[in-house]
């Protein structure tokens, strides 16, 4: 009964990045700007892909899914952090914390799966171009995405069900700006051996297979490019992979940085700062990487913004004509 009461009454305090009152407005403005840029950038990618027929291909279908996942990923943590900074509060409810952990695991896992799927798509496009449309067909694209959601849904759910068995103090401090699974497990009062084992196994499997898929795909791509005689063909083939390689490097590089900072320094401040790169900077930079390095996306964004501007101009002109007509009648 005591354990149940501890769990039901638990409230977590997210200590955040700094306790300095003068720094809070700066952090609020910085994180709000990063959040708005991330959401706007990823939504523009989704709109460009869905509205432009030139981008109705498997690669851009996966890219729009990645943009959707990145938007959801950053929306899981930043709005609550902004509310806490604005309200000068640090609390988050027990269920709110579990919800954050669940969706963070799910969207981070989806990122790894989608990056691996895009690598496979590039492998088939470059190494088997004549069979590309047969292999990467709409049915397979939908199946890959749905299978990824299905797997990560159940893996995340298992972790949350195991976490529900843990007990915490009535008020528990988490030295972070969001409920990260590893940090929550550190402050649990009950034994976390089982969930740690499950966490390490799931991380190893879900991390190992996507990384192995990415490495295999690019090893085959490099081997295929080495066999090409045309320099222009090599450049054109590899340029289609440049954006994806940048995103993969950024995603896994920042993730590794978070792990190393927490393992080497044992400083909660260093770990929280490193997590900003992983949880906020990476989703924010992805749209810029794909739009700046990809002519098709840049062209689609240009056409989308041109249509939006022309519609706005047409509506403004109609309103002015209506106002002018009303004045003439007066």
């Amino acid at each position: 009964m005591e354990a149940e009461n501890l769990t039901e009454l638990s409230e977590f305090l997210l200590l955040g990045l700094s306790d300095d009152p003068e720094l809070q407005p700066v952090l609020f403005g910085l994180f709000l700007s990063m959040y708005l840029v991330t959401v706007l950038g990823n939504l523009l990618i989704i709109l460009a892909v869905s509205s432009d027929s030139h981008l109705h291909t498997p690669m851009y279908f996966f890219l729009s899914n990645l943009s959707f996942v990145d938007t959801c990923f950053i929306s899981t943590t930043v709005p609550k952090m902004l509310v806490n900074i604005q309200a000068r509060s640090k609390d988050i409810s027990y269920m709110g914390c579990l919800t954050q952990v669940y969706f963070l695991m799910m969207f981070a896992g989806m990122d790894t799966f989608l990056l691996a799927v895009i690598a496979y798509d590039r492998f088939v496009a470059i190494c088997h171009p004549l069979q590309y449309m047969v292999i990467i067909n709409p049915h397979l694209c939908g199946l890959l995405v749905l299978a990824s959601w299905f797997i990560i849904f159940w893996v995340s759910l298992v972790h949350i069900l195991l976490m529900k068995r843990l007990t915490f103090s009535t008020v528990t401090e988490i030295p972070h700006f969001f409920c990260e699974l590893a940090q929550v497990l550190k402050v649990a009062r009950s034994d976390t051996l089982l969930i740690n084992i499950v966490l390490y196994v799931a991380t190893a499997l879900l991390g190992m297979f996507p990384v192995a898929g990415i490495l295999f795909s690019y090893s085959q791509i490099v081997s295929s490019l080495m066999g090409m005689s045309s320099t222009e063909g090599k450049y054109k083939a590899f340029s289609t992979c440049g954006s994806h390689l940048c995103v993969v490097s950024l995603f896994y590089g920042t993730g590794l940085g978070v792990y190393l900072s927490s393992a080497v320094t044992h400083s909660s401040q260093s770990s929280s700062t490193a997590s900003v790169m992983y949880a906020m900077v990476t989703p924010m930079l992805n749209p810029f990487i794909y739009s700046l390095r990809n002519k098709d996306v840049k062209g689609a964004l240009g056409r989308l913004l041109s249509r939006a501007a022309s519609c706005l101009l047409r509506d403004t002109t109609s309103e002015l004509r209506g106002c002018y007509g009303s004045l003439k009648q007066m």
Side-chain angles (χ1 to χ4, degrees), residues 280-300:
M280 298 183 66
V281 176
T282 301
M284 182 183 71
L285 292 181
N286 284 355
F288 292 100
I289 293 172
Y290 276 109
S291 59
L292 294 177
R293 294 183 58 89
N294 190 302
K295 293 181 180 179
D296 293 333
V297 175
K298 282 195 291 188

Side-chain angles (χ1 to χ4, degrees), residues 19-147:
D19 290 326
D20 187 355
E22 296 181 358
L23 198 58
Q24 300 308 306
V26 177
L27 292 175
F28 181 84
L30 176 64
F31 291 141
L32 178 61
S33 301
M34 293 174 69
Y35 178 68
L36 292 177
V37 169
T38 303
V39 172
L40 178 61
N42 282 294
L43 286 180
L44 281 175
I45 293 289
I46 295 171
L47 287 173
V49 172
S50 60
S51 63
D52 197 304
S53 59
H54 296 91
L55 301 185
H56 290 175
T57 63
M59 176 183 171
Y60 295 111
F61 169 72
F62 296 132
L63 175 58
S64 63
N65 275 273
L66 183 65
S67 294
F68 171 74
V69 169
D70 281 341
T71 303
C72 295
F73 182 72
I74 196 171
S75 298
T76 304
T77 57
V78 176
K80 176 59 179 175
M81 180 178 62
L82 293 175
V83 168
N84 281 2
I85 293 175
Q86 187 67 16
R88 297 184 179 180
S89 170
K90 297 182 178 181
D91 65 285
I92 184 172
S93 66
Y94 172 72
M95 288 306 300
C97 191
L98 287 186
T99 302
Q100 265 198 358
V101 171
Y102 174 77
F103 284 110
L104 279 171
M105 288 190 64
M106 186 163 66
F107 295 130
M110 278 302 299
D111 264 334
T112 63
F113 282 133
L114 286 172
L115 290 174
V117 167
I118 294 174
Y120 174 69
D121 172 81
R122 293 298 82 204
F123 156 67
V124 177
I126 294 173
C127 299
H128 306 284
L130 298 179
Q131 298 173 298
Y132 177 72
M133 295 308 296
V134 177
I135 298 174
I136 310 295
N137 55 68
H139 177 73
L140 180 64
C141 293
L143 185 62
L144 288 172
V145 172
L146 288 177

